[in-house]
Amino acid sequence: MSVIIDDTCITCDACAQNCPVGAIVDDLNNPTGNPRYYVCPEKCVECVGIYDDPQCAAICPSIGCITWDMPFTKEFDGHFLNEEIYRLGMAKEGQVRSPAYKEKKFRKDISLVKRGIGEKVQEEPEELEAG
């Protein structure tokens, strides 16, 4: 996984409807109990090999609500085992589906410096024009 939905989510359902891998659950099914949509990190592939950009952020009307997270790789296994932020699913064998269980694809063009909760995936239109 490499995107996360923050507390500015307005629960409009656009991201969940547009996720090509079904990695987003609504606020009622958020396993952390937070009243916003949740990206299942063990399912998210940042749309790598499917689209040029994460479709959840492309469709989200709350610009800045979806931010880059760390790559879902073994290097960041401890990050994704933080149960205050994530609730990973379980494999049939009873093992937690953490990056140590199975790594996921991620956008290599997004540096680790830009990853972490709070770095926007989608920018405001005026920010794009100025850049």
Side-chain angles (χ1 to χ4, degrees):
M1 166 198 186
S2 295
V3 300
I4 193 166
I5 299 173
D6 73 17
D7 60 1
T8 62
C9 175
I10 60 171
T11 64
C12 71
D13 202 45
C15 60
Q17 290 183 24
N18 285 282
C19 180
V21 295
I24 301 173
V25 297
D26 65 23
D27 54 330
L28 298 175
N29 293 302
N30 183 332
T32 65
N34 290 316
R36 61 179 175 257
Y37 281 47
Y38 174 80
V39 180
C40 299
E42 68 274 21
K43 293 181 181 178
C44 180
V45 294
E46 294 183 357
C47 294
V48 171
I50 305 169
Y51 294 104
D52 290 337
D53 297 304
Q55 294 301 286
C56 55
I59 196 72
C60 182
S62 298
I63 295 174
C65 168
I66 299 174
T67 58
W68 291 111
D69 201 354
M70 303 315 286
F72 200 74
T73 60
K74 291 176 186 174
E75 178 182 2
F76 299 102
D77 196 63
H79 174 78
F80 290 101
L81 290 173
N82 178 346
E83 291 193 357
E84 290 181 28
I85 301 171
Y86 310 102
R87 294 291 194 294
L88 302 177
M90 298 292 282
K92 292 177 193 172
E93 311 84 41
Q95 185 177 358
V96 176
R97 289 186 172 173
S98 74
Y101 175 76
K102 184 177 181 183
E103 295 183 322
K104 290 289 179 184
K105 295 178 183 178
F106 65 97
R107 296 183 58 88
K108 295 184 185 276
D109 60 327
I110 305 300
S111 71
L112 290 180
V113 173
K114 291 195 171 212
R115 291 182 177 272
I117 298 168
E119 190 68 37
K120 296 177 190 177
V121 172
Q122 179 188 33
E123 296 180 31
E124 296 280 354
E126 54 273 7
E127 290 177 17
L128 292 172
E129 290 174 14

